[in-house]
Amino acid sequence: MGNEAKTYDAIIVGAGTSGSCVASALSAAGLRCLILEAGKRFARDTYPRAELDANSQLYWGGGIELNTDADIGFLRARVVGGGSIVNQALMDRFDDVALDSWRQRSGVPFFTGEAMAPWYDKAESELCLQYIPTEYRNRNAQIFAEGFAANGYVCAPLRRAQRDCRFQDGNDCIVCLSGCPIDSKQSMPVTVLRRALEAGAELRAETEVLQVAEVDGGVTVTARSAGNGEETYRAGALVLAGGAIGTSSLLLRSGFAARLPLLGRNFYSHPQYMHLAVYDDPVDAHKGPMQSLKSADPNFRRYGFKLENVYAPPVAIAMLLPGFGHAHLERMRRLRQFACIEVSVRDQNPGQVRVDGRGQTVLEKQLDGEDRARRDRGFAAVRNIFLATGAREIVEGSFGISLHLMGGCNMGTDPGTSVVSPEFKLHGCKRIYATDGSIFPDAPGINPALTIMALSWRAGEQIVKDLRA
Ligand SMILES: Cc1cc2nc3c(=O)[nH]c(=O)nc-3n(C[C@H](O)[C@H](O)[C@H](O)COP(=O)(O)OP(=O)(O)OC[C@H]3O[C@@H](n4cnc5c(N)ncnc54)[C@H](O)[C@@H]3O)c2cc1C
């Protein structure tokens, strides 16, 4: 038996980037919200500091989930704060290339720079945004800048959601990939989610939602938590913010496939390939800000890829290096000499999120010929950069890593080609909304988090209006 006596205006599944914004919008309007989050709640001094522990405690699938071909790994956060805890906190608005494509594909009129501007303004006003000061750029960033200049490519500084990283005290921001130890990173628990909780939203961590349904006059949600077993909750509305894979698979498990034939389809992920190059002297790519610069070259955008100066902690680097045994060890001994650049592909061949007969999530995602051509053009640019800056050896990454999980419940005006309406409701449902990265119509080729926030604020306003009608 559940606690059916306690009802809410809205239940929000997922305390990540989107769920935190919607909860904040709804609770600021005086609505009673319950947020259910599968992951644990940590504070700055309790995040697991060892890389392997962080992987297993902050991510679904023990750290990584694979596609059916086992050549792309998906990183999907499972923690209060969702992706905002583990991400690199790069915050970009979409350009006209991305928004025009979305508008044409979806028929949704508000996918324009002008119509999105107030929502981007709102999202940005909730965070402190900064560029990495030039004096703190590490050698890996310098190699990136020098290689771009030598080849006539255009690069630009990265804008991060951070308040005071205290680089002068020797802080390494690679550590913040497992939860920021000084609360500088503007993750949801220190910004938007904190304000939602202060305004009265209720949060239940370590509570995984198993089934959702629309019933007469409201919704029911069945969830399982470590302490309380299975419970059923009721509310006037349900907001799905479990991320692209989480929202799609929850709806599939809840039997929505029959009425939403495109559910789980149109799944994109910006597959990323990390390339390493060995230099004679230490690069120390893990020191200071591990990211400062990105490509801003119009040709790269046209060709469907972008580059970022980046690095990863040692376990991740060990997984990406080819070979085994002595040869692998010899490469790992040169960890401090590696420079690293990542190619991110604007994928145009969508995959699919499925649920198998045992209820397990299955991720089908392949690169087609055009996607591989985009990736290979990126590889060529990285080779040019490394060769122009004195690299001794180049190790090309062949394993794709997907951090930007998008689609599965794509938004559109036509129920025949989409899953979610421009009012953020599932087609055919009155009280179930989706607001997270699952609603993206295609892959923008740009960091998605700021746009997820902007859309979630817009959705929040819509939901408040609907609930008050
Ligand atoms: C390592 C890494 C680096 C990244 N770097 C950047 C970056 O620099 N810039 C950028 O723009 N983007 C970046 N991203 C992507 C960005 O973080 C995500 O796009 C964004 O957080 C997605 O927001 P969301 O609300 O869709 O989902 P999330 O933020 O992932 O939130 C979903 C939440 O729902 C919970 N959930 C799912 N299913 C259930 C369920 N059934 N019951 C209860 N809870 C559930 C999950 O545990 C999770 O906490 C990065 C991602 C990763 C993993």
Side-chain angles (χ1 to χ4, degrees):
M1 284 299 291
N3 60 342
E4 295 193 8
K6 186 156 188 188
T7 62
Y8 297 85
D9 292 314
I11 293 174
I12 299 166
V13 180
T17 300
S18 174
S20 300
C21 296
V22 175
S24 188
L26 267 51
S27 43
L31 298 173
R32 285 165 304 145
C33 298
L34 173 66
I35 315 167
L36 300 175
E37 165 59 51
K40 286 187 185 165
R41 189 175 184 180
F42 291 96
R44 65 180 172 192
D45 50 353
T46 61
Y47 286 113
R49 290 274 63 107
E51 191 184 348
L52 280 176
D53 294 341
N55 293 350
S56 62
Q57 291 186 45
L58 302 179
Y59 284 100
W60 291 82
I64 198 161
E65 296 164 289
L66 294 176
N67 64 345
T68 44
D69 291 349
D71 60 359
I72 300 179
F74 298 87
L75 300 187
R76 174 163 71 113
R78 178 188 171 117
V79 57
V80 170
S84 76
I85 299 297
V86 295
N87 71 16
Q88 289 134 288
L90 308 174
M91 293 289 158
D92 295 317
R93 291 189 182 204
F94 284 3
D95 61 11
D96 287 344
V97 175
L99 290 171
D100 289 350
S101 170
W102 274 20
R103 200 174 57 259
Q104 281 154 20
R105 201 172 272 261
S106 67
V108 176
F110 63 74
F111 290 143
T112 65
E114 201 183 356
M116 288 290 291
W119 304 107
Y120 278 127
D121 290 346
K122 170 68 180 160
E124 287 169 352
S125 74
E126 296 287 327
L127 308 170
C128 178
L129 298 169
Q130 296 177 341
Y131 294 93
I132 304 290
T134 317
E135 65 268 31
Y136 293 118
R137 282 186 195 163
N138 65 14
R139 176 79 191 117
N140 194 35
Q142 287 161 12
I143 288 170
F144 191 87
E146 286 162 21
F148 265 66
N151 286 282
Y153 302 148
V154 183
C155 66
L158 286 166
R159 186 173 67 154
R160 287 188 92 231
Q162 60 180 50
R163 180 171 288 284
D164 177 13
C165 292
R166 306 207 302 253
F167 295 122
Q168 68 279 11
D169 298 338
N171 280 330
D172 299 322
C173 74
I174 207 160
V175 175
C176 88
L177 292 180
S178 308
C180 177
I182 56 170
D183 278 351
S184 169
K185 185 153 80 170
Q186 301 284 281
S187 64
M188 294 298 112
V190 300
T191 55
V192 178
L193 181 61
R194 182 172 59 78
R195 291 190 272 277
L197 300 179
E198 283 166 4
E202 211 178 296
L203 168 68
R204 293 205 181 179
E206 298 180 67
T207 303
E208 181 175 352
V209 175
L210 308 173
Q211 288 275 330
V212 297
E214 192 170 52
V215 293
D216 248 4
V219 296
T220 58
V221 173
T222 307
R224 185 177 44 217
S225 59
N228 299 329
E230 262 182 46
E231 293 187 282
T232 300
Y233 305 87
R234 292 183 69 90
L238 172 65
V239 183
L240 299 172
I245 295 174
T247 292
S248 302
S249 55
L250 175 58
L251 285 170
L252 288 164
R253 278 190 200 102
S254 303
F256 281 76
R259 53 170 142 161
L260 296 167
L262 288 173
L263 182 58
R265 294 177 185 273
N266 293 309
F267 170 62
Y268 297 87
S269 70
H270 291 164
Q272 307 188 353
Y273 296 84
M274 288 173 75
H275 299 282
L276 300 161
V278 185
Y279 286 75
D280 286 339
D281 299 322
V283 175
D284 283 339
H286 60 290
K287 300 302 289 178
M290 59 127 192
Q291 286 200 285
S292 315
L293 295 166
K294 63 177 176 182
S295 61
D297 199 294
N299 284 328
F300 292 7
R301 182 76 175 124
R302 198 169 315 125
Y303 293 148
F305 70 89
K306 72 179 167 77
L307 305 185
E308 275 175 21
N309 124 259
V310 74
Y311 205 49
V315 174
I317 297 290
M319 280 175 58
L320 293 169
L321 281 177
F324 53 89
H326 186 70
H328 190 271
L329 180 64
E330 278 310 302
R331 280 207 160 115
M332 283 302 286
R333 283 193 206 284
R334 292 188 288 177
L335 203 58
R336 291 186 58 201
Q337 288 162 255
F338 288 139
C340 182
I341 298 177
E342 153 198 298
V343 175
S344 175
V345 178
R346 184 183 182 200
D347 48 333
Q348 53 90 60
N349 182 44
Q352 184 177 354
V353 179
R354 287 198 296 108
V355 168
D356 68 14
R358 292 176 303 141
Q360 301 292 316
T361 302
V362 178
L363 303 169
E364 284 178 5
K365 176 74 191 164
Q366 279 105 26
L367 269 57
D368 70 0
E370 172 57 23
D371 288 336
R372 285 195 295 275
R374 292 173 181 209
R375 181 196 62 187
D376 293 346
R377 284 197 191 104
F379 283 17
V382 174
R383 265 195 302 275
N384 292 341
I385 292 164
F386 283 148
L387 290 175
T389 48
R392 290 283 162 221
E393 186 195 353
I394 297 175
V395 184
E396 289 187 346
S398 56
F399 182 69
I401 306 165
S402 288
L403 326 165
H404 299 168
L405 310 173
M406 304 162 293
C409 300
N410 62 309
M411 181 182 273
T413 49
D414 178 0
T417 58
S418 61
V419 175
V420 169
S421 75
E423 290 76 38
F424 297 88
K425 285 182 193 171
L426 298 187
H427 288 303
C429 289
K430 288 197 182 85
R431 296 168 179 277
I432 304 184
Y433 300 81
T435 57
D436 53 23
S438 71
I439 65 176
F440 280 24
D442 68 14
I446 296 175
N447 283 302
L450 189 70
T451 301
I452 293 172
M453 291 186 73
L455 290 172
S456 300
W457 289 113
R458 185 181 175 111
E461 188 186 76
Q462 176 74 45
I463 298 165
V464 169
K465 211 186 295 168
D466 291 351
L467 285 173
R468 284 192 174 144

